[in-house]
């Protein structure tokens, strides 16, 4: 017999629901930014780029293109998206463009996600 994973009756804790709804209203702008951050990371190539930048302080666009196996144009597109979301920053050195993580929090997010992935248990 399969166990139901939903409530079998409808009853909720009004105080708890109201408290959390109030918190959501106060954090709406912040949560929208978090959603955009995770959407940026939801693309496999962008996640690979951020992971790569966790491994080395900075990489040029050509390095990134070779690491993810893409054209320079594609790598640049992904890097621009990550920069617009505040995940990476860049600096120019002559004709070269070097990218690095915007701050340590991004590295921590990736580290936590990788640790979580390793701890996942198979759900059947």
């Amino acid at each position: 017999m399969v166990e139901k994973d939903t409530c079998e009756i409808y009853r909720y804790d009004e105080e708890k629901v109201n408290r959390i709804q109030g918190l959501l209203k106060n954090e709406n702008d912040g949560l929208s930014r978090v959603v955009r951050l995770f959407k940026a990371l939801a693309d496999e190539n962008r996640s690979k780029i951020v992971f790569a930048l966790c491994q080395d302080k900075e990489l040029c666009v050509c390095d990134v293109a070779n690491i993810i196996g893409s054209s320079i144009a594609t790598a640049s597109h992904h890097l621009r998206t990550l920069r617009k979301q505040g995940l990476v920053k860049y600096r120019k050195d002559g004709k070269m463009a070097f990218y690095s993580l915007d701050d340590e929090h991004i590295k921590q997010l990736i580290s936590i996600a990788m640790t979580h992935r390793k701890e996942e248990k198979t759900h059947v």
Side-chain angles (χ1 to χ4, degrees):
M1 184 172 188
V2 178
E3 184 180 345
K4 290 187 178 182
D5 60 355
T6 62
C7 295
E8 294 182 30
I9 62 170
Y10 182 76
R11 182 173 56 203
Y12 67 95
D13 184 329
E14 187 175 357
E15 182 182 326
K16 189 183 295 185
V17 169
N18 289 338
R19 180 178 52 83
I20 294 171
Q21 284 178 334
L23 292 170
L24 281 172
K25 286 178 185 175
N26 291 336
E27 292 295 335
N28 194 40
D29 186 49
L31 284 172
S32 294
R33 290 178 184 188
V34 170
V35 168
R36 288 193 303 272
L37 178 144
F38 281 112
K39 278 184 180 180
L41 290 173
D43 179 87
E44 188 173 353
N45 280 324
R46 289 194 288 268
S47 285
K48 287 178 181 179
I49 291 168
V50 173
F51 178 82
L53 288 169
C54 288
Q55 309 311 306
D56 206 285
K57 186 175 180 173
E58 67 178 10
L59 298 167
C60 77
V61 176
C62 301
D63 293 333
V64 170
N66 280 282
I67 288 167
I68 66 171
S70 75
S71 67
I72 291 173
T74 297
S76 292
H77 168 76
H78 287 304
L79 286 162
R80 269 191 303 279
T81 299
L82 292 168
R83 187 169 51 90
K84 286 178 185 174
Q85 295 306 322
L87 295 164
V88 301
K89 58 187 175 186
Y90 81 102
R91 69 175 182 86
K92 290 286 280 187
D93 187 2
K95 294 184 178 188
M96 304 288 288
F98 291 92
Y99 282 81
S100 60
L101 295 176
D102 190 58
D103 63 35
E104 188 64 25
H105 294 111
I106 306 308
K107 191 171 187 174
Q108 290 172 3
L109 276 173
I110 296 301
S111 177
I112 291 167
M114 296 302 286
T115 300
H116 176 72
R117 182 195 54 83
K118 291 174 185 172
E119 293 175 353
E120 283 180 345
K121 294 186 172 93
T122 306
H123 298 286
V124 180

